[in-house]
Amino acid sequence: MKQKTNVLNKLGSFLFDNKVMIAFAIICLAAIVLSGSPMTFIVDGVFTRITRNTFTVLALIIPVVAGLGLNFGIVIGAIAAQIAVFTVVYFGFEGFSGILLTVLIATPLAVLFGYLVGKLFNRMKGAEMIAGLILGYFADGLYQLLFLVVIGGIIPVNNPTLIISGGVGVKNTIDLTGNLKYAIDSVRMVDIVTVFFYAVLAITVIKGILHLAKKYKLNRGDLTLFVVSALIFGISYIPAVERFLSTDRLVLLDAFTAVLIVLAIFQIFKIIKSIGDKEPASALKKPILLLVFYGALFGLTFIPAIEEVMLFVKLPVLPFLLIAGLAWFNQKILSTRLGQNMRTVGQSLSVASASGINADQTRVLAMIISTVLASWGQIIFLQNIGTFSTYGAHTQIAQFAIAALLVGGASVQKATNKQAIIGVILFHTLFIVAPQAGKELFNNAQIGEYFRVFVSYGVIALSLAMHAWKKFRKDSPDGTGEIAALSGVTAKEPADGG
Amino acid sequence: MKTLKTLYENIGLPRLIIALFFILLIVASIMLGFSPAALFSDVVRRWLMYGTLVLAMVPGIQSGIGLNFGISLGISSGLLGAVLAMEFAFVQDWNALYGAGSPWMTLGLALLLGVIFAAIVGTLYGMLLNRVKGSEMTVSTYVGFSIIAFMNIVWLSLSFKNGELSWPLQGQGLRNTASLSGSFGGLLSNPDVVQSTQPEWLHWLAFKVGDFTVPLGLILVFGFLCFLVWLFFRSKMGIAMSGAGENQLFTTSSGINVDRKRIQGTAISTVLGAVGIILYAQTYGFLQLYNAPLMMGFASVASILIGGATIRRAKISHVLIGTLLFQGILVTALPVVNEVVEIGTLPEVLRIIISNGIILYALSKTKGENQ
């Protein structure tokens, strides 16, 4: 009986903690049912959107941890990327080397912008979000000035496909077909494996030299990594495998199977290890249950309807690896000293300064990281979408990324990888099905489109309001809010605010 | 020398730059051969057109909610009042029944409905803002965006009989821009409209002196509204409200209900927003629905900041100076830019940079001053 109430309590708090996500999931389901669109269309669309947008959404997590709130300033990262994309296209670079050059140009720009934004935010502690929002619009104005007037007007350029016929200003859309389109998506798996192997080889060699020089101690992990990558590299020479790996798209079914196999191997290792360590049998319960669960999931793919969808959807490999890499980075950085400092700064400025952390510097660093990541995210976005809308591609980026993150259940003060990914899936599912659902329900697709815009604004408004309400109840009524913080009236510890 | 310095400090660098820029543009446009009378007519027209929307910022700032980006609530209320009034006038066929009186009645009904909606919405909005003290500006920005997106759905679902409002042949949804020429458009400000539709004794409402248009009716209405707000902040209620905005603790200890004052301030701000958009529409001659009002809140905020207001203090003079400078630059920049560099979008870019730049400056400046 006691256990039952415990479970109920747990369920209750799970429902309460995830209320935004659950409400949104219900809206999504209703919209899917109403729209009557085939599942192949929806799932394919959702995975395309995940490829495009997840990286940018993940770029929002670090500022949240560091107490800067939702970073509306990622627009500026996107702008850095777009300046780089334009430069690369203008000088005629293409393919993956073009992408590398884009990253090479975008990164220092984004570092500079991020540094400036961070400095500015340090002057406006407690009002970063409103400042970031306005800053985004302001930066958009400067960007338009650059692209409409300076390019062609002051910097002479001569390229009739990119420049408006008068010779001043960049055209509305730049076609990336033939230069950067799919430049990241179409990297072959076999190339990834090769590069990965050589990278691991180089790292292992360096570590080995350091080991011999007694500056570093090689451990088992290093060797395992090397052996695994060498094994994969070796397997890639088997003709059948090579043929499979020399494609650039992975059928969802294969990707799903591969992920399940990796997870299963991981669990089997755990079982072997705990048997070896002679741990009690109860420790085996969880891995075995998980194995059964993976088996059941694999079994599900044999249902014709699911199998059809999973065979239809094809994933670009490298973007997903990059997304996974960023999620891993977000996770890892929190366990470093920098990450711990960020957390402390995010929780309380006074505690941070008492423990000798340079709060301002940490905040600037968080902004730099977020801006750089956002610029890379924008590059992934543009190469996937294939047309670069010069004056529109960046304008909604913060809006949609933040809405997606919030839909996943994140708040102004807490955001995780999981929330980001769930959020992207839910938010973009609604984006795909809303017009069709609007058409079925009101006989007007436009209503569906307006509805999704309303939802994206509304979810941000709701989240901000709920956060402010919670904070206001916690603080004294004369708390440390935007206006107080900006006027320095009661700003004892402004960064507690959002 | 000292007085010069205090004068400079009172004006502030950004306002000085913007004022000099404005003067430069005027000189440039006159040198380029544009008619000064036509130019100044335009400046005055735009000044009055946006004036009330900027005036709506004053009660918000004074009552302590900061820059009211959520003025879109008032704007949406006003627009809803206007379309309902126009539809009602059309269905009742006021034009045939009352002739020259019909636009006045439509305008009156639009204002009445708009004010009622805005008062209700504004009160609720004020109650929300009391619960999110400390994050009013961020919350209000997104509440403003949400309401515009919500009203998009409303505009699209309404089916009206008035052909000026609804799309022809569709039966559902309102137009993006509805012409007010058959209704109250230009009633207070356009000499042509006034001369052709109104009786002789009302011709003073808008007339021409040479090339210069004097929209006397609109000047009087806007002046009256400014006077009302000015008077209000000299009344007991208004002084209490300013107190609530200035120092919460002090005001609470002197027995004033701060929360109620903030709700009142927000409601008045929202009501002025509703009146403002109707006056805007009557001057412009068109009713702009859908996403057109999305960024109007930003323009209003920028205007009052250019005028010298801070996020805690605002006066009527800030409204007048700020709107004149901001709109003046936008009006004069267009012909000058077109003549000199032939980039038609440049004034729009200027608008974005100036308006957001000044808001950003104000946000960072207030903090710096107090450190």
Side-chain angles (χ1 to χ4, degrees):
Chain A
M1 189 63 205
K2 199 179 174 190
Q3 202 166 9
K4 201 177 167 191
T5 49
N6 198 11
V7 169
L8 276 180
N9 273 344
K10 258 190 181 168
L11 186 71
S13 71
F14 171 81
L15 288 178
F16 185 77
D17 289 344
N18 297 287
K19 53 190 176 303
V20 177
M21 191 189 92
I22 292 165
F24 211 83
I26 292 169
I27 296 177
C28 275
L29 271 179
I32 290 175
V33 173
L34 278 173
S35 72
S37 308
M39 277 316 279
T40 43
F41 167 77
I42 297 173
V43 176
D44 190 42
V46 170
F47 272 96
T48 310
R49 303 298 196 110
I50 293 175
T51 321
R52 277 180 202 161
N53 299 300
T54 313
F55 201 91
T56 312
V57 178
L58 287 170
L60 291 169
I61 289 178
I62 285 175
V64 172
V65 172
L68 288 140
L70 302 163
N71 182 13
F72 285 92
I74 55 167
V75 177
I76 293 162
I79 284 176
Q82 286 172 201
I83 295 173
V85 167
F86 174 77
T87 316
V88 168
V89 172
Y90 178 75
F91 287 107
F93 294 95
E94 50 191 56
F96 195 71
S97 56
I99 286 289
L100 288 181
L101 188 64
T102 314
V103 171
L104 218 60
I105 298 171
T107 308
L109 272 178
V111 169
L112 174 71
F113 292 166
Y115 173 78
L116 294 174
V117 176
K119 282 276 169 196
L120 188 72
F121 281 3
N122 277 342
R123 283 176 61 93
M124 306 183 192
K125 283 179 193 136
E128 292 94 349
M129 282 194 284
I130 184 75
L133 186 70
I134 306 286
L135 189 64
Y137 290 125
F138 181 67
D140 179 41
L142 292 180
Y143 172 83
Q144 288 189 31
L145 192 68
L146 174 69
F147 272 65
L148 276 174
V149 182
V150 176
I151 295 179
I154 295 170
I155 308 169
V157 282
N158 185 19
N159 188 332
T161 55
L162 297 180
I163 305 296
I164 299 169
S165 56
V168 180
V170 182
K171 278 186 181 166
N172 257 330
T173 46
I174 294 174
D175 191 6
L176 299 181
T177 315
N179 41 59
L180 294 181
K181 188 174 185 180
Y182 295 147
I184 297 178
D185 293 5
S186 64
V187 173
R188 296 182 310 164
M189 284 176 268
V190 65
D191 297 330
I192 299 171
V193 169
T194 313
V195 170
F196 179 69
F197 170 69
Y198 283 116
V200 171
L201 181 69
I203 291 170
T204 314
V205 167
I206 292 171
K207 278 182 176 169
I209 292 168
L210 287 175
H211 178 76
L212 290 178
K214 303 217 157 101
K215 291 221 169 105
Y216 177 82
K217 191 141 172 38
L218 273 179
N219 54 30
R220 218 167 70 187
D222 291 332
L223 292 175
T224 326
L225 183 67
F226 177 70
V227 171
V228 167
S229 65
L231 259 178
I232 296 173
F233 185 60
I235 290 172
S236 73
Y237 277 98
I238 300 171
V241 178
E242 193 175 1
R243 227 172 305 129
F244 172 72
L245 287 180
S246 56
T247 54
D248 52 13
R249 299 296 156 99
L250 196 55
V251 176
L252 180 58
L253 185 62
D254 294 341
F256 189 66
T257 314
V259 169
L260 282 184
I261 290 174
V262 170
L263 288 174
I265 290 175
F266 187 66
Q267 295 302 333
I268 289 170
F269 261 112
K270 254 189 173 171
I271 294 172
I272 294 171
K273 206 177 151 214
S274 56
I275 290 175
D277 293 351
K278 296 210 170 63
E279 280 177 36
S282 63
L284 291 177
K285 208 168 112 191
K286 204 181 162 197
I288 290 175
L289 274 179
L290 276 172
L291 275 179
V292 174
F293 177 64
Y294 297 150
L297 278 183
F298 187 67
L300 279 181
T301 60
F302 287 100
I303 298 172
I306 296 177
E307 194 179 11
E308 188 201 342
V309 171
M310 296 197 101
L311 283 173
F312 180 80
V313 178
K314 292 184 177 62
L315 308 176
V317 182
L318 190 54
F320 275 92
L321 289 178
L322 291 173
I323 290 165
L326 178 54
W328 177 80
F329 170 80
N330 278 342
Q331 203 63 45
K332 273 288 155 198
I333 198 169
L334 290 181
S335 58
T336 63
R337 218 181 102 206
L338 176 66
Q340 292 301 330
N341 287 356
M342 281 178 184
R343 274 194 187 166
T344 318
V345 170
Q347 266 148 19
S348 161
L349 273 189
S350 52
V351 171
S353 63
S355 41
I357 298 168
N358 187 340
D360 280 8
Q361 202 183 33
T362 314
R363 286 161 53 98
V364 170
L365 217 54
M367 282 315 296
I368 292 177
I369 295 174
S370 178
T371 313
V372 169
L373 291 175
S375 80
W376 295 352
Q378 186 73 353
I379 296 172
I380 296 177
F381 174 82
L382 287 175
Q383 65 86 32
N384 180 282
I385 214 163
T387 38
F388 168 21
S389 145
T390 321
Y391 304 104
H394 58 288
T395 47
Q396 297 281 48
I397 193 113
Q399 161 75 22
F400 289 160
I402 287 171
L405 185 65
L406 293 173
V407 163
S411 72
V412 174
Q413 279 175 320
K414 192 171 178 299
T416 61
N417 288 326
K418 205 172 85 186
Q419 287 165 338
I421 290 162
I422 294 175
V424 172
I425 295 173
L426 287 178
F427 187 70
H428 287 287
T429 306
L430 186 73
F431 249 66
I432 291 164
V433 293
Q436 194 60 34
K439 199 169 179 187
E440 295 294 326
L441 201 59
F442 303 103
N443 200 19
N444 192 337
Q446 192 78 35
I447 286 191
E449 274 173 42
Y450 282 133
F451 178 71
R452 67 187 190 184
V453 176
F454 170 62
V455 164
S456 81
Y457 286 134
V459 76
I460 297 181
L462 195 70
S463 265
L464 292 173
M466 282 193 317
H467 169 72
W469 192 352
K470 218 159 58 182
K471 195 185 72 182
F472 167 60
R473 277 193 306 190
K474 214 169 59 188
D475 290 357
S476 61
D478 198 47
T480 52
E482 279 168 356
I483 299 169
L486 288 169
S487 317
V489 174
T490 49
K492 274 169 282 175
E493 195 193 307
D496 258 5
Chain B
M1 194 62 213
K2 203 178 168 197
T3 49
L4 210 66
K5 200 169 172 230
T6 46
L7 188 70
Y8 167 77
E9 272 169 2
N10 278 337
I11 295 174
L13 186 64
R15 239 195 307 175
L16 199 67
I17 294 173
I18 288 169
L20 286 176
F21 189 47
F22 182 41
I23 294 168
L24 184 81
L25 279 172
I26 291 174
V27 172
S29 52
I30 290 172
M31 274 166 61
L32 285 167
F34 292 105
S35 142
L39 195 72
F40 282 115
S41 299
D42 252 8
V43 172
V44 169
R45 187 169 150 269
R46 285 279 287 263
W47 185 17
L48 297 165
M49 188 158 124
Y50 282 91
T52 315
L53 284 172
V54 182
L55 184 66
M57 292 294 134
V58 177
I61 295 176
Q62 290 294 98
S63 67
I65 64 162
L67 305 170
N68 186 7
F69 289 98
I71 194 68
S72 322
L73 287 163
I75 292 176
S76 299
S77 307
L79 289 174
L80 192 62
V83 295
L84 288 178
M86 283 172 71
E87 174 68 4
F88 191 71
F90 179 80
V91 173
Q92 300 289 320
D93 208 4
W94 281 1
N95 268 337
L97 283 175
Y98 306 106
S102 150
W104 291 103
M105 290 169 64
T106 315
L107 181 61
L109 185 62
L111 285 171
L112 181 71
L113 290 176
V115 166
I116 291 172
F117 293 146
I120 298 167
V121 174
T123 308
L124 294 174
Y125 177 49
M127 286 154 79
L128 170 73
L129 287 184
N130 275 341
R131 283 177 174 73
V132 299
K133 267 182 206 162
S135 314
E136 291 95 339
M137 285 188 280
T138 328
V139 173
S140 70
T141 306
Y142 269 90
V143 169
F145 286 161
S146 311
I147 199 74
I148 296 287
F150 176 74
M151 289 312 284
N152 280 345
I153 301 176
V154 172
W155 304 138
L156 208 55
S157 334
L158 289 174
S159 45
F160 278 175
K161 293 199 176 65
N162 189 340
E164 297 278 2
L165 288 171
S166 55
W167 288 112
L169 308 171
Q170 221 170 348
Q172 197 193 28
L174 304 187
R175 291 168 190 261
N176 281 318
T177 36
S179 168
L180 294 177
S181 57
S183 187
F184 58 84
L187 196 60
L188 296 166
S189 56
N190 190 335
D192 298 338
V193 172
V194 173
Q195 313 295 335
S196 63
T197 65
Q198 293 305 311
E200 191 85 38
W201 61 274
L202 280 176
H203 281 186
W204 55 267
L205 280 172
F207 53 88
K208 282 194 167 196
V209 180
D211 271 345
F212 186 71
T213 311
V214 184
L216 194 58
L218 191 58
I219 293 176
L220 288 178
V221 171
F222 178 54
F224 178 65
L225 287 172
C226 287
F227 177 69
L228 274 188
V229 174
W230 180 83
L231 205 64
F232 174 77
F233 281 104
R234 261 141 205 83
S235 73
K236 204 177 149 203
M237 192 175 159
I239 291 170
M241 188 181 284
S242 299
E246 199 153 33
N247 189 334
Q248 285 201 14
L249 286 179
F250 175 73
T251 321
T252 314
S253 62
S254 57
I256 293 167
N257 186 337
V258 174
D259 282 4
R260 185 178 291 166
K261 290 295 149 207
R262 283 166 52 104
I263 294 177
Q264 283 165 357
T266 316
I268 295 172
S269 176
T270 313
V271 165
L272 280 172
V275 175
I277 193 68
I278 293 173
L279 291 180
Y280 171 93
Q282 88 81 32
T283 319
Y284 187 53
F286 295 93
L287 211 54
Q288 293 172 296
L289 303 177
Y290 298 95
N291 281 330
L294 190 65
M295 303 307 272
M296 272 185 190
F298 284 73
S300 309
V301 166
S303 297
I304 199 160
L305 291 175
I306 288 173
T310 67
I311 55 174
R312 291 180 86 90
R313 290 295 84 177
K315 291 191 289 193
I316 305 291
S317 62
H318 298 150
V319 175
L320 298 177
I321 297 170
T323 318
L324 176 65
L325 287 178
F326 188 51
Q327 295 302 329
I329 283 181
L330 298 182
V331 172
T332 44
L334 188 62
V336 174
V337 166
N338 278 341
E339 192 75 12
V340 178
V341 286
E342 293 174 356
I343 302 171
T345 40
L346 191 57
E348 173 64 11
V349 177
L350 274 183
R351 185 187 66 78
I352 296 174
I353 294 177
I354 293 176
S355 63
N356 294 298
I358 192 81
I359 299 175
L360 212 54
Y361 175 84
L363 289 180
S364 68
K365 185 71 183 169
T366 20
K367 168 96 179 174
E369 268 174 3
N370 286 284
Q371 268 178 342

